[in-house]
Amino acid sequence: MQIIDLESIGLREMNKTLHAQAETTNQTAWEIVNPKGAHAIACGLDAPIEVTVKGSTGYYCAGMNQQATVNIHGSAGPGTAENMMSGKVVIEGDASQYAGATGHGGLLVIKGNASSRCGISMKGINIVVQGNIGHMSAFMAQSGNLVVCGDAGDALGDSCYEARLFVRGEVKSLGADCEKKEMRPEHIEILKDLLEQAGIDAAPEEFTRYGSARNLYNFDVDNAAAY
Amino acid sequence: MNKQDPKRIPNTTPRQSATFSQDVNSDIRRAAATGIYDIRGGGAKRKVPSFDDLLFMGASISRYPLEGYREKCETSVTIGGLHAENPIELDIPITIAGMSFGALSGPAKEALGRGASAAGTSTTTGDGGMTPEERGHSNKLVYQYLPSRYGMNPNDLRKADAIEIVVGQGAKPGGGGMLLGQKISDRVAEMRNLPKGIDQRSACRHPDWTGPDDLEIKILELREITGWKVPIYVKVAGARPYYDTTLAIKAGADAVVLDGMQGGTAATQDVFIEHVGQPTLAIIRPAVQALQDLGMHRKVQLILSGGIRSGADVAKAMALGADAVAIGTAALIALGDNDPKWEAEYNALGTTAGAYDDWHEGRDPAGITTQDPELMKRFDPIEGGRRLRNYLKVMTLEAQTIARACGKNHLHNLEPEDLVALTMEAAAMAKVPLAGTDWYPGKPGTGF
């Protein structure tokens, strides 16, 4: 286990050290201590390493992650795992706004609650939230899966495209062109797999699927009232 | 033989209404027939105060000119030296503005790279991400980081020579975009993570930040990911140039790209293009003032875009305080868009060469703003690149010849003192004297 004290070496040196890890590195386990809410911790990683952050983080922790597993033992600030391409990010606490925004791939697990705009404009990422999510989540979500074990706030899935949204609890309101969908066997399988990967004990059958009604996929003036 | 009735009252000549002109009437008829606003590409077509309303004075006795074909006039510019380990070094201060793969064909992007590289300048990606042909043919490539994040990839980010965070665009300050479904080929769909054939909306704001404080942290993230090696530009629409420039500088931008309302776009509402934003002439002085107030003029570079067409425009932008300019629409025309040789086909589309602006429909006869494989075959990227290189060289020569006449051995040495304005409006916007006077509206001490 390699331990980096962020307070003593600073952000640049920390990220430089992590970025220097090659695909074949045998230094696969890293621990960052004293994060103290710093921004851009462990962003831009691109190696199969496991980084554990002991404490809470600021903006954009694990941003654009590729291959790495990042565990945050605390709460995460806005934009955690934004634009993630692959790998895994696990937040033991709560996540602030726009967690997993524009993510193209990989798995983001939030053990606590996520604030507003979770999974906004997601493009293939899988996000599993053990608690609740805030308003305007999955806005313009293109693809991937958003799993919410608790409740969802207002305007869920507004203007979403092909992303699948699974919510176990209540949804305060659905956004434009988002509707309740049939839960078919393939969706149960997807959900089962994601819950298993996230280490969350929940029955897939208890979830409701939401997705695009596809009425607004091609602009038509007769739909103008929906915008 | 017709005899005129002597009692007949003569007709007046039919008179068109200035308010309800033929253009306006056709807009009304189109709206009534379709129930939807007009969407088009390009920039503002209305006449607004512009660089045409400024003149250089040149040198006589009080100023000493340089010899046109003997004495050197430098044109190079360094962008992003403030924070970046590897600032961009350009031979000429004319860059190619961001235009997306998707809006433009792959060969058109290749031609932009070829032409810009031959002229010693940079190109810029767009909403569709980075294509191998563009990276391959552009010696210096600026990677746009856009609200939509279509095609966003950290591997491409690290291949870029600079990153341009797009906050706004001159043609549509505050507006998003839409690439209509008919232009979505398999390749475009794959790059944008969306099914083929559906409209692709580009958001009007970045999904993962909410204001200038977040922008600062976003810049930090991008710098950390790219190891602080490349410059970070921030592109803003020319809406509130003083404040937007100030905030971009405070957020840590290495360069500010400022885009006036004559700037083009792939597709947006005509009403937006014509009625939102400020003319390029009007936005430059407030932006320069912001840089000067913060002690950052010439440290954070100002790149001006929006209807730049000639070396005279380049020289005027430089004289008013810009470090470089960017061209978009002009580059497309140089490649061959709207060329009269396709007149018959433009006519078949209900328009004429020079006025074709339905780029979003994907039926561009020149094969430039399309994804139609048959139309794309018409465009030769090598020839297109050669034409763009020629055009960039001509613009540079023109700007140099003006600068020499003003006694300047570098384009950056041009200054507002070299200019006069032909109209009160231009004098007020550019803060240069009305020709024949030492006065401009708002000049301190004039009572205005």
Side-chain angles (χ1 to χ4, degrees), chain A residues 165-178:
Chain A
L165 318 176
F166 301 99
V167 183
R168 184 162 67 166
E170 299 292 316
V171 174
K172 198 167 176 195
S173 67
L174 292 174
D177 211 30
C178 184

Side-chain angles (χ1 to χ4, degrees), chain A residues 11-12 15-16 19 39-40 43-46 59-60 63-64 66 79 82-83 85 97-98 101-102 104 117 120-121 123 136 139-140 142-143 159-162 216-219 221 227, chain B residues 34-37 145 148-155 157-158 178 181 192-195 197-203 205 207-210 214 217-218 220-225 227-228:
Chain A
L11 184 73
R12 185 75 287 266
N15 280 328
K16 206 167 153 184
H19 291 170
H39 306 316
C43 61
L45 301 187
D46 190 11
Y59 278 62
Y60 302 125
M64 300 194 202
Q66 289 169 287
E82 72 89 19
N83 215 92
M85 303 298 286
Q97 359 171 43
Y98 33 86
T102 76
H104 285 66
R117 313 206 289 171
I120 188 167
S121 202
K123 294 172 165 61
M136 215 65 188
F139 172 67
M140 284 175 77
Q142 292 177 210
S143 62
S159 304
C160 67
Y161 291 95
E162 293 296 297
L216 306 181
Y217 270 17
N218 291 100
F219 187 83
V221 70
Y227 295 101
Chain B
T34 64
I36 178 70
Y37 42 60
Y145 186 75
S148 72
R149 312 281 164 81
Y150 288 136
M152 173 58 213
N153 185 316
N155 296 332
L157 193 76
R158 293 189 195 96
M178 193 186 304
R192 299 191 182 209
N193 313 80
L194 279 168
I198 65 171
D199 298 341
Q200 301 191 356
R201 288 164 284 175
S202 300
R205 56 182 186 260
D208 62 347
W209 52 277
T210 51
D214 287 11
I217 304 166
K218 172 56 70 181
L220 172 72
E221 184 207 15
L222 293 170
R223 286 208 168 105
E224 282 297 317
I225 289 173
W228 290 73

